[in-house]
Amino acid sequence: MIQIGDKQFEEYLTPDQIQSYVQSLAAQIDRDYAGKDLLILGILNGSFLFVADLAKYMTSDPEISFLKFASYDGTSSTGNVKDLIGINEDLADKHILIVEDIVDSGTTLAHIMGLLESKGAASIQTATLFFKPEAYKQDIELRYIGKEIPNLFVVGYGMDYLSKGRNLTGLYQLKP
Ligand code: 5GP
């Protein structure tokens, strides 16, 4: 059990379990993208550890970059739309893999897809280490899923609570 701020969390996945999910995803991605120019786009902040480990397990030679949502809310008529920082690369004709730490409602992913769709990529697929199927509200296919988890708040392995806990090597679930 660990305490972060006012909340208590219990270990849900050990570091070894997480590494085995990451390793398995790396092998699948290597196999599926063999002979193709792959650009991995990690979504910050949460994906920094996942992308680092994934890249180390991969035997191919992908380009790796990161995207981050600007920390201000835009004033678009569609509501809380935020700009993405970091799309500096030429995405034309590249095979893009969006890499997320966790997909919950899928709102973030849908937003990213919307922003990347017009950039002329050869393909756009998604990899997420963790997925909460009970919370998912989109119909975007998640091509690579490390592990489905219950609809409970988690911290660790890149994910925070009150900006803490990102460097935990295991995954911890909020104690009910
Ligand atoms: P979505 O847009 O799919 O609802 O949520 C995606 C983002 O919300 C993730 O990239 C992550 O930053 C954050 N998020 C979703 N679920 C959790 C969770 O259980 N714990 C933490 N720390 N962040 C989460």
Side-chain angles (χ1 to χ4, degrees), residues 100-108 132 152-154 159-160:
E100 281 241 54
D101 47 350
I102 187 163
V103 172
D104 185 284
S105 67
T107 307
T108 307
K132 296 180 186 168
L152 286 173
F153 188 81
V154 290
M159 284 167 280
D160 72 311

Side-chain angles (χ1 to χ4, degrees), residues 2-18:
I2 57 164
Q3 176 102 24
I4 303 179
D6 56 335
K7 302 253 188 291
Q8 295 186 325
F9 296 85
E10 282 170 340
E11 190 177 57
Y12 175 65
L13 294 172
T14 65
D16 282 353
Q17 287 174 309
I18 294 176

Side-chain angles (χ1 to χ4, degrees), residues 106-119:
T107 307
T108 307
L109 184 61
H111 188 172
I112 294 165
M113 288 294 238
L115 292 169
L116 295 183
E117 254 162 17
S118 59
K119 307 281 182 190

Side-chain angles (χ1 to χ4, degrees), residues 9 43-47 69 100-110 128 132 135-138 149-156 158-162 164 166 171-172:
F9 296 85
I43 310 303
L44 293 173
N45 293 326
S47 75
F69 282 103
E100 281 241 54
D101 47 350
I102 187 163
V103 172
D104 185 284
S105 67
T107 307
T108 307
L109 184 61
T128 186
K132 296 180 186 168
Y136 196 54
K137 294 195 183 72
Q138 302 292 329
I149 64 169
N151 193 9
L152 286 173
F153 188 81
V154 290
V155 291
M159 284 167 280
D160 72 311
Y161 174 60
L162 301 176
K164 296 284 190 181
R166 291 192 195 276
L171 191 71
Y172 293 77

Side-chain angles (χ1 to χ4, degrees), residues 33-40 61-63 93-96 122-123:
Y33 287 92
K36 292 181 177 162
D37 281 334
L38 172 61
L39 169 60
I40 287 178
D61 187 21
E63 288 179 46
D93 302 322
K94 287 191 180 153
H95 294 279
I96 294 173
S123 68

